[in-house]
Amino acid sequence: MRRPHIRSLAIAVAAATAASVAAGVAGTAAATPSVTRDSAPASSPSHATIVDAARAAAYAHASATGVGKKDKLKATDVLVDPDGKQHVRFIRTHRGLPVLGGDLVIHLDAKSAYQDVTRASRRQVEVTSTSPKLSAGQAEAKAADAAKGQAGTAELVVDVRADRAALAYQVEVTDSRADEAGGIRTVVVDAATGSVLSNVPANDSFLSPAVQEKLRKRGEKLRPVTGLTGAPADRTEAATATGKPGAAGTGASLFVGTVPLTTTKTAKKSFTLKDPTRGNTETRDAGGKELEKYADAKAFTSTTNRWGNGTTSNRATAAVDAQYGITSTLDFYKKTFGRKGIKNDGRGAHAVVHFGKNIGNAFWSSECGCMLYGDGDGKTFTKPLVVLDVTGHELTHGVVDATANLQPTRVDEEGNQFGEPGALNESLADIFGSSVEFSANNPKNPPNYLMGEKLGLEQKFLRRLDKPSLDKLEGTVDYWSKEAYDTEVHAGSGISSHAYYLLAEGSGKKVIGGVAYDSPTFDGSTVKGIGRTKATAIYYRALTRYMVSTTDFHDARTATLKAAKDLYGAHSTEYKTVNKSWAAVNVTAANAPAAKH
């Protein structure tokens, strides 16, 4: 029997609570307008006051917000801009039931007056009855059958995704045989008809089931490019987040050479692979088991504060890559946007290496709030996927979970996900995953716009942002078409990844960091890039302020235009280039769909 993945209450990244909301606007505003920082002026109103004002505005402007008298709103995030503008993200209940697809962001001015709303559902939330025709037991049986596992307790919800309003049951299914690791799925069953409305895995894996199957059929093996020698990367330690100083150690990694690690000194000659300067970020050893609790994983310890030997013969080597990748990702988000942790709550992140047996993948677990790394299956996947951009990609899924929570529109029986919001999620993970590489700037892992280039694939990368269609393995696309409504998410991710690259670097041929790029455009136009720093700031602001769970590519265009307007003005070159970059991938106001698909 498959065991469920880690399900600990004492996890690194907690669920969104009032505490995380309170942490969301702490600190001092950035002086530069080129980057959105998750912070607020010292004179900003209290969080409770902002939330109250936003909630009142949501009811007062019901025709715009879609919030009715039978709805209740719970704030999950509060962000205050340097100019005082406020953004409150809400989830809702309707007649006491959680609403799937009912999330929204209320935008207020510096005086807490209503300005606008970003909403996931375009319809008013309303169900005529909360009495289901299907029993909870029947729903649990349906969910267990759909996910091929063991159903937990069915919970009544209201599902307003896909432009519907249905009374439904939400069921967590464990030991799912449809998933590679962990085996937890969330299944939603119509409470009237018994039809399965959604069936989504709890873990996000770097390699999709379809790609793994293709690799196996081709007989292609991932032979990751490794590197042991080299000077440590230049890393300035962040100010201690726990009040405890860190101990300076070094690690010999599989992929990034010798790197500095900040660890915890527990005795005169005893160290633990836990970073107290980054919210107690820690990597542990699962020992080849699919553990149920993070606490059951074994801590890595050392008497010398030297970790790994650059090969898989030492169990700590994979942990070096994992710990370095996580702290590099946390550093990127903090120094670039002032974001303090994946949930912006000041906490670090956890990782578990050597997870399970014969697992050739890496996963972000939203329930655990941590990274899970398998050791490979020994056949197609020869080494752990503890590569830097893989970690940056997967941890960005955690940032997306904590903000827009973009969701696929459907999942097939093999676990492949489809739909534009899910594709946008994958794209943002690639965008910020590559940004982590640029931020770390490690000479043993040169930054570029390629994803998974160190995995040893025959096509030399898994995906790339400049011309996504060069990825033949996943069939990634360069441009939007109506087929994107139901395209596999990794394939569809190319649309917004391409738009981002064009915004940052522009179209045509160029060499950046020794890598040759040649980015085309749908309309034959020439796009002149505004630079990676500005492009990344625009996409981050769009994600955290203007995207919700159902955001598609046309909504993403609107979100990035709003972000560019906020940062640089509606008549700026940056705003105009955002518009050009989306038109260059065939996403325009003219071809926007009239309704959600």
Side-chain angles (χ1 to χ4, degrees):
M1 181 182 298
R2 302 288 310 272
R3 304 182 74 182
H5 74 87
I6 297 169
R7 300 168 65 192
S8 170
L9 295 178
I11 58 176
V13 185
T17 61
S20 65
V21 170
V25 291
T28 305
T32 172
S34 64
V35 175
T36 293
R37 298 185 69 82
D38 288 339
S39 54
S43 59
S44 63
S46 71
H47 307 127
T49 301
I50 295 172
V51 171
D52 288 345
R55 184 179 287 111
Y59 288 106
H61 298 269
S63 60
T65 65
V67 176
K69 294 180 180 179
K70 298 176 183 178
D71 296 343
K72 289 187 178 180
L73 302 177
K74 177 183 177 181
T76 61
D77 202 6
V78 177
L79 297 174
V80 180
D81 297 335
D83 62 2
K85 291 179 182 177
Q86 302 151 19
H87 312 267
V88 182
R89 189 177 295 274
F90 289 107
I91 56 175
R92 81 173 90 184
T93 59
H94 176 72
R95 300 177 69 175
L97 302 178
V99 179
L100 308 181
D103 51 304
L104 66 156
V105 183
I106 298 294
H107 309 287
L108 308 174
D109 66 16
K111 296 182 179 180
S112 296
Y114 175 80
Q115 282 193 316
D116 199 4
V117 64
T118 304
R119 49 191 285 196
S121 175
R122 297 182 182 180
R123 63 178 298 156
Q124 191 86 13
V125 178
E126 183 62 55
V127 289
T128 56
S129 172
T130 57
S131 298
K133 294 181 180 179
L134 216 66
S135 70
Q138 288 173 316
E140 290 160 9
K142 289 272 188 181
D145 181 64
K148 301 180 178 64
Q150 299 179 9
T153 303
E155 176 190 18
L156 274 177
V157 297
V158 177
D159 189 350
V160 297
R161 299 170 298 175
D163 202 33
R164 63 185 168 228
L167 184 67
Y169 285 103
Q170 183 169 269
V171 186
E172 184 181 85
V173 178
T174 60
D175 294 325
S176 172
R177 296 185 298 279
D179 287 312
E180 182 183 10
I184 290 185
R185 286 192 167 216
T186 300
V187 181
V188 178
V189 179
D190 192 302
T193 67
S195 62
V196 174
L197 302 179
S198 62
N199 179 3
V200 180
N203 292 341
D204 181 278
S205 62
F206 187 71
L207 295 171
S208 69
V211 164
Q212 294 182 68
E213 183 63 22
K214 281 186 179 181
L215 287 170
R216 292 187 182 106
K217 286 182 177 179
R218 291 181 180 186
E220 182 176 344
K221 292 185 178 182
L222 271 69
R223 297 183 177 90
V225 180
T226 60
L228 173 60
T229 60
D234 180 16
R235 305 221 0 232
T236 302
E237 299 301 341
T240 176
T242 61
K244 298 179 182 179
T250 59
S253 73
L254 278 172
F255 297 110
V256 290
T258 302
V259 294
L261 296 171
T262 302
T263 64
T264 298
K265 188 174 184 179
T266 56
K268 187 175 181 180
K269 291 186 177 181
S270 181
F271 303 88
T272 301
L273 195 55
K274 177 192 292 186
D275 189 338
T277 70
R278 295 177 177 85
N280 283 328
T281 288
E282 183 178 7
T283 299
R284 291 188 177 186
D285 187 350
K289 299 177 182 178
E290 292 183 27
L291 300 175
E292 294 183 356
K293 293 186 292 186
Y294 179 81
D296 290 342
K298 184 180 179 181
F300 281 99
T301 59
S302 171
T303 59
T304 64
N305 211 8
R306 295 178 181 273
W307 309 83
N309 66 359
T311 74
T312 55
S313 67
N314 187 309
R315 298 189 70 81
T317 301
V320 170
D321 284 275
Q323 186 79 355
Y324 174 78
I326 291 173
T327 55
S328 295
T329 303
L330 294 176
D331 286 355
F332 159 70
Y333 277 106
K334 184 174 182 180
K335 72 183 182 183
T336 309
F337 307 118
R339 189 174 186 88
K340 302 174 181 67
I342 301 304
K343 295 268 186 173
N344 199 29
D345 57 4
R347 303 187 185 192
H350 284 166
V352 179
V353 293
H354 310 304
F355 181 79
K357 291 186 181 299
N358 300 321
I359 293 176
N361 218 332
F363 306 85
W364 162 255
S365 167
S366 58
E367 290 204 1
C368 168
C370 57
M371 285 293 301
L372 311 175
Y373 299 93
D375 282 334
D377 61 8
K379 297 177 181 178
T380 307
F381 310 98
T382 61
K383 287 185 173 66
L385 270 72
V386 286
V387 183
L388 178 59
D389 59 6
V390 172
T391 296
H393 171 104
E394 291 300 325
L395 287 178
T396 296
H397 282 306
V399 175
V400 174
D401 285 347
T403 53
N405 193 26
L406 294 157
Q407 295 291 317
T409 54
R410 74 175 179 93
V411 182
D412 68 15
E413 292 184 355
E414 286 73 39
N416 297 294
Q417 302 180 34
F418 299 82
E420 292 192 18
L424 181 60
N425 193 336
E426 291 299 330
S427 170
L428 292 167
D430 281 355
I431 288 167
F432 293 114
S434 68
S435 296
V436 168
E437 279 192 350
F438 279 104
S439 176
N441 197 26
N442 187 315
K444 291 294 178 180
N445 195 132
N448 51 54
Y449 292 104
L450 313 179
M451 295 301 298
E453 72 277 5
K454 293 181 77 71
L455 294 180
L457 290 162
E458 289 180 6
Q459 68 177 23
K460 307 302 183 185
F461 52 84
L462 181 61
R463 289 182 296 278
R464 59 188 296 156
L465 279 62
D466 65 317
K467 188 176 181 181
S469 61
L470 291 175
D471 165 27
K472 304 302 181 183
L473 187 61
E474 293 177 308
T476 307
V477 298
D478 292 332
Y479 311 119
W480 181 84
S481 68
K482 290 183 179 180
E483 284 70 30
Y485 298 147
D486 197 44
T487 296
E488 193 277 329
V489 295
H490 297 89
S493 71
I495 296 166
S496 45
S497 292
H498 191 191
Y500 166 84
Y501 175 87
L502 290 167
L503 177 64
E505 303 291 352
S507 58
K509 294 182 179 181
K510 53 183 62 67
V511 176
I512 304 169
V515 178
Y517 301 97
D518 188 3
S519 192
T521 59
F522 177 82
D523 54 2
S525 63
T526 299
V527 179
K528 183 179 179 180
I530 62 173
R532 187 178 62 255
T533 298
K534 289 181 177 180
T536 305
I538 289 169
Y539 270 68
Y540 180 77
R541 182 176 181 85
L543 166 64
T544 55
R545 271 76 170 171
Y546 299 116
M547 292 184 185
V548 287
S549 61
T550 59
T551 296
D552 60 21
F553 291 125
H554 286 82
D555 295 332
R557 171 186 174 273
T558 300
T560 51
L561 284 170
K562 287 182 177 179
K565 179 182 177 182
D566 291 345
L567 292 170
Y568 308 108
H571 301 290
S572 65
T573 297
E574 292 82 0
Y575 181 92
K576 294 174 183 177
T577 308
V578 169
N579 194 40
K580 288 180 181 178
S581 68
W582 282 108
V585 298
N586 197 35
V587 177
T588 67
N591 63 17
K596 293 286 184 180
H597 290 257

